[in-house]
Amino acid sequence: MNTEEKYHLADMLREIDDDILEQEKDLSQEKNIPQETITELMIANLKQKKKKIT
């Protein structure tokens, strides 16, 4: 496979580093959700599904 386009390795590595930092921010936000809230949302979702079935 031959490509005509040239890529700047330094730019690509910088973009990868930026992506990694952004992903870390997203993961930290997920961890801040209290388990009680997650459980309540799951129960509400199950109740809604049960109503649709019956």
Side-chain angles (χ1 to χ4, degrees), residues 29-30 32-50:
Q29 289 176 359
E30 288 179 19
N32 290 334
I33 300 173
Q35 183 62 42
E36 183 178 341
T37 303
I38 294 171
T39 304
E40 288 173 2
L41 291 170
M42 291 173 66
I43 291 172
N45 189 27
L46 289 172
K47 286 180 181 179
Q48 186 177 13
K49 285 183 180 180
K50 186 177 180 181

Side-chain angles (χ1 to χ4, degrees), residues 2-14:
N2 292 332
T3 178
E4 299 294 321
E5 195 171 351
K6 301 288 181 184
Y7 297 99
H8 295 282
L9 184 57
D11 292 340
M12 290 175 64
L13 290 173
R14 193 174 321 113

